[in-house]
């Protein structure tokens, strides 16, 4: 039998640290230490451990509401022909307007999250996705409002 790697353990302080970084990944170690009421050295150690255990995979940019309100976003559910999932995922990843790709269970195989300047651009993207080799059909839902995003 193979050995299974244990799931990394995180405690309440780790969860608070992760929540703070989700809100603003640019917070300084000093600010995090003050907010969490722990020494800076502990913050450094926790960050190093969380990164080493791949709990933190990176730090990224989240667009502000003023910019996001000017964008149109949509979820495109994609049904692939048998054995074409990988090819479709690869082609979707090449589209800069695709911000996320999810493998899903059920009638559809993939959900792609699109972001564009307007409805015409979203429509063009949906058409381009529909023409990808291996795409059987798509169903699109335009996001009207963001109620919560972390």
């Amino acid at each position: 039998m193979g050995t299974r790697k244990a799931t990394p353990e995180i405690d309440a302080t780790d969860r608070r640290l992760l929540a703070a970084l989700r809100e603003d990944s640019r917070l300084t170690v000093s600010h995090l230490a003050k907010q969490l009421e722990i020494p800076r050295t502990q913050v450094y150690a926790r960050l190093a451990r969380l990164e080493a255990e791949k709990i933190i995979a990176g730090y990224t940019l989240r667009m502000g509401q003023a910019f996001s309100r000017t964008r149109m976003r949509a979820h495109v559910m994609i049904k692939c022909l048998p054995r074409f999932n990988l090819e479709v995922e690869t082609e979707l990843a090449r589209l800069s307007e695709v911000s996320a790709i999810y493998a899903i269970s059920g009638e559809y195989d993939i959900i792609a999250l699109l972001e564009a300047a307007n409805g015409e651009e979203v429509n063009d993207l949906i058409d381009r996705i529909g023409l990808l080799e291996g795409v059987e059909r798509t169903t699109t839902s335009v996001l009207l409002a963001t109620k919560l995003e972390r």
Side-chain angles (χ1 to χ4, degrees):
M1 282 198 239
T3 57
R4 279 181 97 163
K5 188 174 181 180
T7 304
E9 293 291 324
I10 61 171
D11 62 16
T13 302
D14 289 336
R15 284 190 292 279
R16 290 177 51 223
L17 174 59
L18 293 170
L21 289 171
R22 268 194 208 104
E23 288 297 314
D24 185 355
S25 64
R26 293 177 6 154
L27 291 174
T28 64
V29 169
S30 295
H31 183 88
L32 290 165
K34 194 177 293 183
Q35 184 176 336
L36 299 173
E37 300 176 334
I38 61 175
R40 285 189 325 246
T41 55
Q42 249 190 60
V43 174
Y44 280 117
R46 285 174 182 272
L47 288 172
R49 180 179 52 77
L50 292 168
E51 289 168 2
E53 293 177 349
K54 307 290 188 226
I55 293 170
I56 295 177
Y59 302 85
T60 188
L61 172 71
R62 190 172 74 208
M63 306 307 269
Q65 285 184 353
F67 178 77
S68 292
R69 276 191 228 113
T70 68
R71 310 295 289 168
M72 180 172 268
R73 296 188 305 169
H75 285 174
V76 180
M77 296 175 56
I78 302 164
K79 173 78 175 156
C80 298
L81 294 170
R83 295 185 291 280
F84 272 89
N85 285 37
L86 182 58
E87 290 86 348
V88 172
E89 290 168 8
T90 301
E91 290 303 313
L92 289 171
R94 290 188 175 132
L95 299 173
S96 62
E97 301 89 350
V98 173
S99 60
I101 302 168
Y102 304 99
I104 60 171
S105 64
E107 181 181 349
Y108 290 88
D109 303 301
I110 299 169
I111 294 179
L113 178 58
L114 310 180
E115 187 174 299
N118 54 49
E120 187 175 333
E121 282 187 22
V122 169
N123 185 63
D124 290 345
L125 282 165
I126 294 165
D127 288 346
R128 286 169 54 197
I129 290 169
L131 291 173
L132 293 176
E133 185 177 1
V135 171
E136 184 177 326
R137 72 175 179 275
T138 64
T139 299
T140 303
S141 296
V142 173
L143 302 179
L144 301 175
T146 301
K147 303 298 185 176
L148 174 69
E149 187 171 66
R150 292 190 179 155

